[in-house]
Amino acid sequence: MKQQLAKIKLLALDVDGVLTDGTINIGSNGEIFKGFNAKDGLGISCALRYGLEIAIITGRFSEIIHRRAGELGIQHLYEGVKDKYAALEKLRTKLNLEQQEVAYMGDDLNDLPAFKAAGVTFAPADAVTEVAAAAHVVTASCGGRGAVREAVEQLLKAQGKWAEVVASYQESGQGDRQ
């Protein structure tokens, strides 16, 4: 698996159940809030700083996701996606990547098509049974509780970059957003 992880140049993520715990808070005027994990955010910031592309592919539309993506510097945001396979293939082609250079993390049945477009697949610990069974890697953490951070760390460790990430923080802060 380490050799497969070392090839990854793009990590694409679902939102609800991956970047969040899956709770959707809706008031009379629409979506009110989502909870994000700061460790996931710092992991994404490190991934971007060390050369990994990060994408969000979600079936929902949310101003909150726009804001979070902007805070973290995520440039590839696909919302209202019905066919996550097609969206990931489109992005892969746009970035001129091979399938084995793409990773995807999802937690529910609607993520299974995207698994077919990725060389490596991740699922958080609380993913539905079918998704966990289809994933190459199931994290110890649940969605919205550090699962993305675990995936990023595994990727950067396999690519020999994690020690450099840690060393950079031992020297000084990096100004990363969480």
Side-chain angles (χ1 to χ4, degrees):
M1 178 53 62
K2 185 176 178 180
Q3 290 177 337
Q4 291 170 287
L5 296 174
K7 295 177 185 177
I8 300 301
K9 295 181 180 177
L10 166 68
L11 173 60
L13 306 164
D14 178 36
V15 175
D16 296 315
V18 172
L19 282 169
T20 75
D21 68 3
T23 301
I24 300 170
N25 299 283
I26 301 176
S28 60
N29 293 324
E31 194 169 53
I32 299 173
F33 66 89
K34 291 181 182 287
F36 296 96
N37 185 284
K39 290 177 183 158
D40 287 340
L42 185 63
I44 289 169
S45 292
C46 290
L48 291 167
R49 192 161 32 95
Y50 282 84
L52 281 176
E53 294 279 352
I54 301 290
I56 292 174
I57 301 175
T58 179
R60 297 178 56 83
F61 289 96
S62 171
E63 185 56 40
I64 295 167
I65 296 304
H66 279 270
R67 182 171 179 178
R68 186 65 173 154
E71 285 176 349
L72 296 174
I74 297 170
Q75 297 181 9
H76 309 290
L77 174 58
Y78 296 83
E79 293 182 285
V81 174
K82 300 283 186 231
D83 183 349
K84 291 184 178 185
Y85 174 86
L88 190 52
E89 278 291 294
K90 181 179 178 181
L91 179 58
R92 184 182 68 74
T93 301
K94 176 183 173 185
L95 296 175
N96 197 30
L97 298 175
E98 299 295 324
Q99 183 176 357
Q100 67 265 18
E101 296 173 312
V102 175
Y104 183 84
M105 179 176 253
D107 71 303
D108 214 335
L109 299 176
N110 59 337
D111 294 305
L112 287 172
F115 275 28
K116 295 177 185 174
V120 175
T121 54
F122 290 91
D126 58 343
V128 299
T129 302
E130 295 82 1
V131 172
H136 294 107
V137 178
V138 177
T139 63
S141 298
C142 293
R145 300 286 183 256
V148 172
R149 172 65 171 267
E150 281 187 50
V152 167
E153 283 188 28
Q154 287 185 41
L155 292 168
L156 293 177
K157 284 176 181 177
Q159 296 173 8
K161 298 175 182 176
W162 187 248
E164 188 178 345
V165 170
V166 173
S168 74
Y169 284 97
Q170 290 172 332
E171 294 171 16
S172 66
Q174 299 302 311
D176 291 314
R177 296 185 175 140
Q178 296 178 300

